[in-house]
Amino acid sequence: MSQLDVQMKGWVSTYGGILLFLFVLFQLTKGFLRRYRDKLFAKGESQFSELYNVPAGPTKAKLFESMQDVQSADWSLKNKGLIRILEIGCGNGANLKYFPKSARLVMVDRNEFYRPLLDENLKKFPHLHLEKVVYCSAEDMRQIASDSVDVVVSTIVLCSIDHVSAVLSEIKRVLAPGGKFYFLEHVMANEGTTLCTVQKLLSVSRIWPALCGNGCRLDKRTDVFIKEAGFSEISINRLDIYTDKMVVFKLIKHHIAGVATK
Ligand SMILES: C[S@@+](CC[C@H](N)C(=O)[O-])C[C@H]1O[C@@H](n2cnc3c(N)ncnc32)[C@H](O)[C@@H]1O
């Protein structure tokens, strides 16, 4: 065996051992790290949601106004003048203040660490009745029956979802015939603009999704996905939601808001 071979064997046994140790350690702590990350995000994103509500609040309030006119497909709710709303990516309940008084709520989020924050927020709105909270991915909401909700709400959630089409088909499945999907989402700026180039660079390089930690992308064309999802009627508006207070708002300035009918 040459001297080089001996040296190589030494390196492999030393560094290979260290790498194997780190790999095993990572596998063993993966679940713990994920839970720790989710706990941190629940706090961070809740604070962001409250900040976001400052410029976005009036748009949310105006968009959700027409929920007052929705009639439930469930006769027992309809007779009492109530509707069932499912919110995906409900987080800490930052949208509760914009829901109509007649709402019965089903809340979905993938991060269970929001629960204490959601419960705290729900106390401020005793007129809203919480039917259930489901911690699952919006791509697979099997715990929620088909045709069972009158309204689905999504605000700044689809930006961080890998399979937007899968979520939209779940939304269509759970909506009762004629049910409404209300959305407010940030989307990519127009092609050819400097902002668009920056958004693409930050998203493709995975810098932005990593910084946000929740997989949020700046280059999503969520409007295209919604138009292709097979709703019977869609009303979409493009609008800017913006405040000078934080630079992040410049990057997510362009939004779509609207209602799609099953
Ligand atoms: C930026 S926060 C928005 C919270 C709230 N909708 C608002 O407008 O303030 C995004 C939320 O979507 C949730 N979320 C992201 N991807 C999800 C998925 N695939 N399924 C369910 N919830 C998801 C996150 O856990 C988080 O609560």
Side-chain angles (χ1 to χ4, degrees):
M1 202 184 273
S2 73
Q3 204 180 343
L4 188 66
D5 285 343
V6 175
Q7 239 177 14
M8 294 266 284
K9 215 173 153 193
W11 286 342
V12 169
S13 58
T14 310
Y15 296 114
I18 292 173
L19 280 176
L20 186 68
F21 172 74
L22 288 176
F23 177 74
V24 172
L25 188 70
F26 175 70
Q27 290 301 323
L28 289 175
T29 54
K30 212 162 61 175
F32 169 78
L33 290 176
R34 195 176 303 128
R35 285 180 69 77
Y36 185 70
R37 183 200 64 183
D38 284 353
K39 207 170 183 172
L40 274 183
F41 285 150
K43 268 199 181 154
E45 279 186 330
S46 296
Q47 282 164 2
F48 177 77
S49 286
E50 298 309 331
L51 272 177
Y52 177 74
N53 271 351
V54 176
T59 304
K60 286 183 175 181
K62 192 160 188 303
L63 176 68
F64 295 171
E65 231 169 44
S66 63
M67 285 184 200
Q68 310 273 7
D69 306 328
V70 175
Q71 295 211 337
S72 183
D74 177 332
W75 280 97
S76 61
L77 289 184
K78 189 178 175 186
N79 287 340
K80 294 179 198 146
L82 302 171
I83 57 168
R84 181 170 294 117
I85 298 177
L86 161 67
E87 179 172 6
I88 60 163
C90 62
N92 68 334
N95 285 334
L96 294 175
K97 61 179 119 183
Y98 309 109
F99 288 158
K101 289 200 163 57
S102 56
R104 288 281 185 267
L105 301 176
V106 178
M107 307 296 253
V108 165
D109 204 285
R110 68 177 169 192
N111 183 350
E112 66 194 79
F113 288 103
Y114 276 111
R115 188 64 204 256
L117 302 161
L118 175 65
D119 286 342
E120 203 49 44
N121 237 339
L122 274 162
K123 284 187 201 149
K124 298 181 204 153
F125 307 95
H127 56 275
L128 296 173
H129 175 83
L130 179 68
E131 285 188 347
K132 67 174 168 182
V133 187
V134 183
Y135 287 101
C136 69
S137 175
E139 283 100 330
D140 177 5
M141 299 190 279
R142 68 185 70 180
Q143 296 93 323
I144 296 160
S146 302
D147 300 335
S148 65
V149 302
D150 304 299
V151 163
V152 174
V153 171
S154 167
T155 63
I156 53 167
V157 176
L158 298 179
C159 53
S160 53
I161 284 182
D162 287 336
H163 304 108
V164 178
S165 309
V167 174
L168 292 171
S169 79
E170 274 294 81
I171 290 173
K172 276 181 58 200
R173 179 185 67 75
V174 299
L175 274 175
K180 309 273 182 193
F181 170 43
Y182 286 75
F183 52 88
L184 172 66
E185 297 287 341
H186 68 80
V187 290
M188 192 173 78
N190 288 335
E191 287 283 356
T193 58
T194 311
L195 181 56
C196 175
T197 309
V198 173
Q199 288 174 327
K200 281 183 179 173
L201 281 174
L202 286 173
S203 300
V204 174
S205 63
R206 309 282 314 160
I207 292 173
W208 181 258
L211 276 179
C212 293
N214 63 1
C216 170
R217 291 189 68 114
L218 299 164
D219 59 350
K220 277 261 161 77
R221 292 293 316 272
T222 304
D223 44 343
V224 175
F225 286 107
I226 294 174
K227 282 177 189 158
E228 288 173 354
F231 287 99
S232 67
E233 215 182 296
I234 305 174
S235 138
I236 298 191
N237 293 313
R238 271 187 88 94
L239 69 156
D240 291 349
I241 290 181
Y242 177 65
T243 165
D244 287 330
K245 298 243 160 60
M246 277 171 85
V247 71
V248 62
F249 282 101
K250 280 196 181 134
L251 292 169
I252 61 164
K253 172 174 146 178
H254 296 288
H255 283 68
I256 51 162
V259 185
T261 307
K262 178 170 169 182

